[in-house]
Amino acid sequence: MIPWELLKPTQWFAAQVAISGVLVSGLALLGARVLRRSPAPLRYRILFSGILGLLAIPFLVALGNAAASNLIPPGEEVVKVSPEMLPALLNPAPPEPPVASEATFGAIATAIALAGWMSIALLGVARLLIGLWRQHRIILGPAWSADWWTDERRTALAEKLGLARFPDVHMSPNVPIPMVAGLFRPRIVLPEAPAAWGRQQWEAVLMHEAAHIARRDPWAMLAQALAVILFWWCPFAHRMARRLNDLREAICDDYALEGPCDQFAYVELLVESAERLVNVRATPVTAGLLDSARSGLEERISRLLEKERKPMKPLSFAGKVLGASLLAVACLLIPGAAAYSQAPAPKVQIKIVLDGKEIDLTDANIAAILQAVQAKVKAAPDGVRFRVVPDNKGILELGIQEAKPDPRIEELVRKAEAIKPGSGAEIRRMLARKLGTKEITLFPTPQVPAGAGAKAFDARIIILRMDPNGKIVQLQESELGELLQKKTAEKNLHFRFDNISLQPLRIEVKPVPPAPKAKAPEKGIELELMLQPGIIKPVTKPLPMPIVGGNPAPATKKAAPAQPAADVAELSRQIERLHRELQELRSRLDTQKQAK
Amino acid sequence: MPIPKGSLTAAQYEIMDAIWAAGADGISVADVWQAISQARTIGRTTVLNQVDRLEKRGWLARVPGDGPTRFRATLAKDDASKLLVADFVSDYFHGSTVDLVSALLGNDACALTKKDVDRLRKLLAQARRRDEEDNA
């Protein structure tokens, strides 16, 4: 069993790549298998999408991991340290010596497996480079020529393949059978020893090889070889490569038979080439390859000799879209899965805050720091601290706006209520909206740049407290209201906390008015006189106020800005309207009485 | 006659081609250089070094006689070609080149045996016979 939790980041990355590789190659094979009756180009596209997917997996997994680490913000816990906890913090228990367990052996085995994977892959890359160098060393003799091989014929065949010009054809003393060599400038290479083939057979051979070049098969084979090297341990990847080789040859065979050459003549030249190859090959081959080779060429020849052979048409637009879609889905799913696999364990930083100072647990001077603040902790054992984690990683503390209810507003409300019962609430709501509902405001501590307090309203907020059992719990919205109520009551402040929302943080705080005394209704014109600019303080900007349970901020009195006269005029209009409605009601009542 | 060591590069094959063309009498380095220079520019020292290397590896032998040193090939061109093909096939089918080169017979052709070829011939003959019967 692999101990996932003990894996180092590199090992975890390798595990993600390995799992994705198996899934991608397995799905590509399954797709090609399900669509086995569909044209070969479609199956080829599906399998080749799998090859490209295999090559892209390391990058996609890295992308997913990077996205996961950037999108999931680190959490933060704030811990109140009680005096009882200090001895344990000052004298932590020595760490237990590591015990060789099954998990440890598992981790070592994983590391060895990873090293083996990388070593063999590197060897494979070296072998591939040697292969490229050897391919470059093929001796190219003079250009191949035949009396019928004219420029017109070359152009006609190139047009059939969609090429601008027919590739160069050379003879070589090296090659025993026709082949394509070269990556950047691929050429058709023919054996020097002349074959007794007719013109139609030669044309078929040239078309077969030129089709490889037109389809950019040399590059496809390089990508395929790299994918197999990277996932050398994955049988699905090898199987995919073999299927691609077979399909590639079958597709090019059909191009070869588009000319005047019939299938019997073509198979004849294939068999002759095989004979020639067997004759020149001096060294025996490994037994493991025998079956695949026999079945490969035999299957190909059997298909060519079938009377009702299904021609392998070029891939339709729908097929191309399907192949591209499969690749796109793989490209989206892999980083998504990688990010998801990273997601379950978001980092939670535990910070100890004592007396407004953050204690770094890794600090060498932690003992001295803790002792220095111990006395203050004793002085305020039940202190509660509120902290938020805004986007800019600044630390903000939560404060309460200390503002006493304005008696003039209450007076205004009472008068409106006397004119028309129920209208006081409307007046209060309007006042709250226009002239400054008392809200909890967030204001920055000195280390946070100015203006950060406004941002905090949209920040993720985590408010934690420690319960009597020492367990850290996150406050719910209702609990926060109760807590604020309690803390403000301790300070002889009378507020009511409504509409608490933690994300974004928004708390409406309303002053609790003293019990209203009944008064005789007064006229609206008198109310207007009581609403003078400057009486009501807006709290749209954060103000330095005392922190509940924490360090009180210096309470500086600021002159409130003047209230616009337009607000006062609007209020007067409201009162006048209410007064008019009251007059109308009274007159209607009088009319009804007279009618009776 | 001992088999020459190693294979030939394209440049060495060009030199060998000039020497094969000269026949059994052999050819001097200067003549080789002139023959190649007609097709492309090449340094005389380069030709001299390559000839020296080919002689050491057993591809060339000195022709005894007076005058400038003359060289002849130790293998006939056909034999050399067979050797080069066998060498390439060995490299090709046992190395990674097989993964990079599109051959007419496909990349698995290395595993073919004489028995397999015979079976393929039978397959072709049967198909031809069936076709003739159908047409008749």
Side-chain angles (χ1 to χ4, degrees):
Chain A
M1 189 68 192
I2 298 172
W4 300 106
E5 67 283 357
L6 294 180
L7 295 185
K8 291 176 184 170
T10 327
Q11 294 172 333
W12 176 236
F13 176 77
Q16 286 175 308
V17 169
I19 293 167
S20 305
V22 172
L23 288 177
V24 166
S25 51
L27 282 175
L29 278 174
L30 185 69
R33 175 79 186 154
V34 169
L35 297 170
R36 61 185 176 279
R37 294 190 191 286
S38 58
L42 177 61
R43 283 177 283 148
Y44 182 87
R45 185 59 69 100
I46 290 170
L47 289 170
F48 194 66
S49 297
I51 290 288
L52 293 180
L54 286 182
L55 289 176
I57 279 172
F59 304 103
L60 295 174
V61 168
L63 185 73
N65 289 344
S69 57
N70 286 334
L71 292 178
I72 300 170
E76 183 174 318
E77 285 190 11
V78 180
V79 180
K80 182 177 78 79
V81 177
S82 64
E84 294 75 34
M85 292 170 69
L86 285 174
L89 284 169
L90 292 169
N91 304 302
E96 289 181 12
V99 181
S101 64
E102 193 182 335
T104 314
F105 289 127
I108 292 169
T110 311
I112 290 171
L114 179 59
W117 179 2
M118 289 300 118
S119 308
I120 295 178
L122 284 175
L123 281 176
V125 170
R127 187 170 167 270
L128 192 70
L129 290 174
I130 292 171
L132 282 170
W133 176 69
R134 275 185 181 156
Q135 193 186 156
H136 183 68
R137 282 185 67 217
I138 288 180
I139 300 169
L140 288 179
W144 180 80
S145 64
D147 52 355
W148 54 270
W149 188 236
T150 57
D151 285 345
E152 290 77 32
R153 197 65 206 140
R154 267 198 287 267
T155 311
L157 293 185
E159 275 176 8
K160 271 189 183 179
L161 294 165
L163 288 170
R165 59 183 285 274
F166 201 85
D168 295 336
V169 187
H170 285 269
M171 288 191 295
S172 169
N174 285 131
V175 302
I177 51 172
M179 54 178 64
V180 173
L183 207 58
F184 293 100
R185 197 182 160 194
R187 297 179 177 92
I188 298 172
V189 187
L190 303 176
E192 264 190 350
W197 294 335
R199 174 186 164 173
Q200 293 175 353
Q201 284 173 306
W202 272 117
E203 266 195 23
V205 168
L206 291 172
M207 279 292 278
H208 177 103
E209 300 305 334
H212 280 303
I213 295 173
R215 290 166 36 81
R216 296 183 184 82
D217 281 345
W219 285 103
M221 291 173 82
L222 178 65
Q224 188 180 310
L226 281 171
V228 170
I229 285 170
L230 183 60
F231 292 93
W232 56 264
W233 46 265
C234 178
F236 292 158
H238 290 273
R239 175 80 188 145
M240 249 195 333
R242 275 201 298 276
R243 288 297 300 142
L244 279 170
N245 288 341
D246 294 345
L247 285 170
R248 193 180 293 126
E249 294 304 327
I251 291 168
C252 290
D253 281 343
D254 281 0
Y255 277 105
L257 292 178
E258 275 186 2
C261 184
D262 70 9
Q263 75 255 43
F264 297 112
Y266 186 66
V267 170
E268 178 75 44
L269 77 86
L270 287 180
V271 176
E272 270 181 29
S273 298
E275 202 161 23
R276 182 192 287 254
L277 183 65
V278 169
N279 288 338
V280 297
R281 204 185 54 221
T283 45
V285 292
T286 49
L289 291 169
L290 281 168
D291 290 339
S292 65
R294 193 178 298 145
S295 62
L297 189 60
E298 197 170 322
E299 192 182 314
R300 192 171 146 201
I301 285 177
S302 301
R303 182 186 155 272
L304 286 168
L305 292 174
E306 272 174 25
K307 223 160 175 202
E308 292 176 6
R309 175 172 51 88
K310 272 190 196 168
M312 296 187 173
K313 301 273 184 210
L315 190 55
S316 64
F317 178 73
K320 283 178 185 169
V321 169
L322 180 62
S325 308
L326 283 171
L327 186 62
V329 167
C331 289
L332 287 174
L333 282 181
I334 293 167
Y340 180 76
S341 65
Q342 289 285 82
K347 287 180 183 175
V348 176
Q349 295 176 342
I350 298 179
K351 293 179 178 178
I352 296 178
V353 178
L354 282 175
D355 195 31
K357 290 174 188 169
E358 186 181 311
I359 309 298
D360 182 4
L361 282 171
T362 58
D363 193 330
N365 298 321
I366 185 168
I369 294 168
L370 288 173
Q371 279 168 347
V373 296
Q374 189 173 4
K376 290 185 180 178
V377 171
K378 279 180 181 171
D382 61 341
V384 176
R385 235 168 260 282
F386 305 104
R387 287 163 65 85
V388 295
V389 186
D391 290 341
N392 61 3
K393 295 183 181 174
I395 297 170
L396 303 173
E397 295 207 14
L398 184 68
I400 297 172
Q401 180 78 28
E402 190 178 16
K404 290 180 180 174
D406 190 327
R408 295 165 197 256
I409 296 173
E410 298 306 318
E411 187 70 16
L412 182 64
V413 168
R414 273 200 306 279
K415 286 178 179 177
E417 191 71 27
I419 294 169
K420 182 181 179 182
S423 63
E426 177 65 24
I427 292 288
R428 192 192 296 280
R429 267 198 296 278
M430 192 173 67
L431 281 171
R433 196 168 60 244
K434 287 276 182 191
L435 304 177
T437 300
K438 302 296 180 290
E439 289 180 344
I440 285 287
T441 57
L442 298 166
F443 53 92
T445 48
Q447 66 266 37
V448 177
K455 277 189 178 180
F457 277 97
D458 295 319
R460 281 164 56 86
I461 178 166
I462 303 168
I463 300 178
L464 301 129
R465 68 175 171 80
M466 186 179 287
D467 69 8
N469 301 322
K471 188 182 169 190
I472 295 168
V473 293
Q474 185 172 351
L475 288 186
Q476 299 301 311
E477 290 168 350
S478 57
E479 288 178 313
L480 179 60
E482 287 170 16
L483 198 61
L484 289 169
Q485 197 82 57
K486 183 182 159 198
K487 300 312 293 183
T488 48
E490 285 173 4
K491 288 185 170 283
N492 292 322
L493 299 171
H494 302 285
F495 292 105
R496 200 175 75 233
F497 302 94
D498 294 325
N499 300 327
I500 296 174
S501 163
L502 286 178
Q503 290 192 9
L505 176 63
R506 183 165 289 276
I507 305 169
E508 283 184 20
V509 183
K510 292 178 182 172
V512 179
K517 291 175 185 175
K519 266 197 171 184
E522 294 181 42
K523 286 182 183 177
I525 191 71
E526 291 173 18
L527 298 173
E528 189 179 350
L529 289 172
M530 296 184 75
L531 279 167
Q532 289 173 5
I535 292 175
I536 302 162
K537 293 178 184 176
V539 284
T540 51
K541 283 200 288 185
L543 297 170
M545 287 294 161
I547 303 163
V548 176
N551 286 340
T556 53
K557 287 191 177 178
K558 266 179 130 181
Q563 193 59 36
D567 291 334
V568 177
E570 191 183 339
L571 278 172
S572 302
R573 280 195 296 275
Q574 289 270 349
I575 300 295
E576 276 177 2
R577 185 172 55 78
L578 290 169
H579 189 65
R580 276 198 301 276
E581 285 176 10
L582 185 64
Q583 292 293 345
E584 280 174 17
L585 282 169
R586 278 181 178 162
S587 63
R588 270 190 223 160
L589 195 63
D590 290 339
T591 314
Q592 283 174 357
K593 279 180 182 173
Q594 283 172 6
K596 280 181 184 176
Chain B
M1 168 110 12
I3 296 172
K5 288 178 192 167
S7 187
L8 294 177
T9 64
Q12 288 167 344
Y13 188 79
E14 208 175 10
I15 291 170
M16 289 299 295
D17 225 12
I19 293 172
W20 278 316
D25 293 342
I27 188 172
S28 67
V29 173
D31 291 339
V32 172
W33 174 69
Q34 273 185 350
I36 298 173
S37 295
Q38 285 172 2
R40 65 183 178 97
T41 312
I42 187 170
R44 194 173 171 149
T45 321
T46 311
V47 176
L48 187 64
N49 288 339
Q50 293 282 14
V51 167
D52 186 46
R53 209 168 292 167
L54 288 168
E55 187 195 5
K56 281 179 183 161
R57 284 164 50 196
W59 284 91
L60 296 178
R62 287 171 190 248
V63 180
D66 297 333
T69 313
R70 301 173 76 81
F71 292 91
R72 65 173 176 81
T74 54
L75 279 182
K77 190 174 180 181
D78 285 351
D79 295 334
S81 286
K82 280 178 191 164
L83 199 68
L84 287 175
V85 168
D87 191 48
F88 175 79
V89 168
S90 171
D91 268 359
Y92 173 73
F93 288 120
H94 294 274
S96 58
T97 321
V98 73
D99 296 330
L100 299 167
V101 174
S102 308
L104 180 67
L105 295 177
N107 299 43
D108 297 331
C110 54
L112 284 170
T113 60
K114 258 195 163 8
K115 237 175 156 179
D116 297 327
V117 176
D118 291 343
R119 201 172 53 255
L120 293 176
R121 277 212 178 282
K122 273 182 195 166
L123 210 66
L124 174 63
Q126 281 170 6
R128 272 209 165 115
R129 214 169 26 250
R130 263 201 313 274
D131 188 58
E132 282 166 9
E133 284 167 10
D134 289 348
N135 288 338

